[in-house]
Amino acid sequence: MGPRIVWMPQHAREGTWLLAKPVCLLLSMAFALLPSSAARGDSSLRPVSMGGSVAVGYHDNILGSSTAEEAAFGTDDPDYLFVVEHLEDARAEAEIWGQWEIASFYKKLRFELGYRRSEWMRTAILGQDRFEIRMRQKLPDEWQIDLRARYSPQIYLRHRRDKDAPPGAPAFRPESFEEQDYRAAIGRTIGQIRGSVAYLHAREDRNRWFNERDETIDGTELSILFPLGERIEVEPEYLFASGRSRNEPDLGSDRSYRDHGAALAVSFDLGGTRPWEIAGSGRLKWREYTTGDPLDESRYHRNDRIYGFGLRASIDMGVIRPFAAAEWGGRIVRLPAGASAADEEGEYESSWIRSGVEWEIR
């Protein structure tokens, strides 16, 4: 087994930063305009609000490693290559965003730009950027359209054996992907109840050694938000999604699937002079792999249960809001007798616990 070191070859990043540059430039120009527009009193450029957050915490499964991978890490299995020294690490996130209002055909269009950076203390290879654009247009009769686009230029997954490696070439290559995530929703508010239906589309574009693992995901999301009394809000949600990989014949496994999912979010305002808020969420997805190949033992007649839970507490102190949050998640695999999913997509558990502060200026 090779040494456990932290590195990312330059060729693993080719093309991704070039695509991120226009978004970086747009964000930089937007936030650079804030002081100058304020000095001139130019309300068309000045945001209606801006804010951000900083959080630090502990992530106990930084690669989303399966139980099989964790066992291989502990025994230095020669069939696995790990370029990290630990599967857990301290993690930090910083985010900044701004909102603008633009004249529109009906009232105003709300436009938002955001940027988030995630870092791990001892595993720099995992560092991630996420850029986000959101637009919200109100319509007559309490209807509303929401559009969102997110872009992450590079998300590192793991090193994987290169099945096409020629003699003398490295046997393992870094697998990372560029992610594009789009959401379009239409909703309506009736009294204190708000319902919406959304179309979701995402693309995961792997780097050059693993193009056959590219994924395209399309889905539909239904949600409704309503109060229970004066201090509690509840939001149930249903999701259907279909994921497709390129599935070239030499891949050896069809990774396409269908998801049905349910989620529930509850927030509770404790009130008081310094109002506390406690929010909890849970989600469960039933994943069915769609391969029809009986020789594909790791996917044929396979069903997964993917779950997640979250808990968050915050206190409103005016401009700033300190908070603490925790997330837990994992996957349970169900396969026919005798089959095995002892790879990176087997069963796993993960948690991400953090505390920090948010701020907002209007």
Side-chain angles (χ1 to χ4, degrees):
M1 176 175 170
R4 292 177 178 169
I5 55 175
V6 178
W7 63 285
M8 171 62 82
Q10 180 63 33
H11 48 242
R13 299 191 296 262
E14 288 178 357
T16 56
W17 178 239
L18 293 177
L19 293 173
K21 278 185 176 179
V23 185
C24 288
L25 180 60
L26 181 61
L27 283 168
S28 300
M29 291 177 62
F31 289 112
L33 284 171
L34 299 183
S36 58
S37 64
R40 296 193 310 267
D42 189 346
S43 60
S44 64
L45 293 178
R46 190 164 57 246
V48 294
S49 64
M50 62 179 298
S53 65
V54 176
V56 294
Y58 178 76
H59 191 179
D60 77 343
N61 191 350
I62 58 176
L63 298 180
S65 303
S66 68
T67 303
E69 283 187 309
E70 291 179 348
F73 184 90
T75 59
D76 290 344
D77 189 324
D79 291 331
Y80 288 78
L81 172 68
F82 298 95
V83 297
V84 297
E85 295 181 352
H86 309 271
L87 292 182
E88 73 287 333
D89 201 354
R91 176 177 171 181
E93 284 188 350
E95 184 173 9
I96 186 170
W97 54 266
Q99 288 184 346
W100 289 260
E101 286 188 346
I102 304 170
S104 180
F105 65 91
Y106 181 78
K107 295 186 177 181
K108 291 185 177 181
L109 171 71
R110 177 156 290 194
F111 179 77
E112 180 176 326
L113 293 175
Y115 168 71
R116 188 182 74 185
R117 176 68 183 178
S118 301
E119 287 282 358
W120 285 256
M121 179 178 294
R122 296 175 295 186
T123 45
I125 194 172
L126 295 180
Q128 298 176 12
D129 299 291
R130 191 188 77 186
F131 306 93
E132 182 172 325
I133 298 175
R134 301 188 66 170
M135 289 181 286
R136 176 173 296 174
Q137 174 64 62
K138 289 187 175 182
L139 300 174
D141 298 324
E142 300 299 323
W143 287 91
Q144 181 174 282
I145 293 176
D146 287 276
L147 303 174
R148 184 192 72 198
R150 289 175 175 170
Y151 173 66
S152 297
Q154 179 174 278
I155 299 175
Y156 173 75
L157 295 174
R158 57 185 38 80
H159 271 62
R160 186 186 302 280
R161 188 176 295 276
D162 182 4
K163 61 181 174 50
D164 298 318
F172 290 87
R173 299 288 193 179
E175 181 188 7
S176 64
F177 67 90
E178 167 194 310
E179 182 178 55
Q180 303 171 39
D181 177 356
Y182 306 96
R183 182 179 186 271
I186 183 168
R188 188 180 184 188
T189 301
I190 302 176
Q192 294 181 300
I193 300 175
R194 184 170 72 245
S196 70
V197 56
Y199 167 68
L200 311 172
H201 177 76
R203 292 181 57 85
E204 296 181 359
D205 185 8
R206 262 62 173 182
N207 52 1
R208 58 182 178 177
W209 298 291
F210 305 104
N211 282 331
E212 72 275 7
R213 298 179 67 86
D214 289 353
E215 286 190 21
T216 302
I217 303 164
D218 291 281
T220 302
E221 183 182 85
L222 304 173
S223 65
I224 183 169
L225 176 68
F226 57 90
L228 288 180
E230 296 182 355
R231 299 185 183 277
I232 302 176
E233 282 191 337
V234 178
E235 185 174 17
E237 183 178 277
Y238 168 75
L239 168 73
F240 172 78
S242 174
R244 300 174 301 282
S245 66
R246 291 176 60 172
N247 299 321
E248 295 181 355
D250 59 351
L251 178 59
S253 183
D254 184 343
R255 300 169 58 245
S256 299
Y257 60 84
R258 287 191 296 265
D259 276 347
H260 293 272
L264 179 66
V266 180
S267 62
F268 182 44
D269 185 355
L270 298 178
T273 56
R274 294 293 188 191
W276 281 85
E277 182 180 81
I278 297 176
S281 62
R283 66 183 186 277
L284 177 63
K285 289 196 295 187
W286 293 263
R287 173 166 296 181
E288 176 187 11
Y289 287 88
T290 57
T291 180
D293 182 5
L295 298 179
D296 184 2
E297 291 188 356
S298 65
R299 299 291 189 284
Y300 186 62
H301 284 181
R302 170 175 166 175
N303 292 276
D304 291 358
R305 302 293 181 262
I306 303 172
Y307 62 89
F309 305 96
L311 186 63
R312 174 186 170 95
S314 62
I315 181 170
D316 190 348
M317 302 180 68
V319 174
I320 65 171
R321 179 188 289 263
F323 69 91
E327 296 175 10
W328 301 270
R331 174 170 49 212
I332 301 171
V333 175
R334 294 288 181 264
L335 276 166
S340 172
D343 60 12
E344 81 284 352
E345 294 184 15
E347 296 190 345
Y348 78 93
E349 293 182 349
S350 180
S351 65
W352 161 219
I353 300 171
R354 62 199 180 276
S355 61
V357 62
E358 299 171 327
W359 58 274
E360 180 178 0
I361 301 174
R362 295 179 179 272

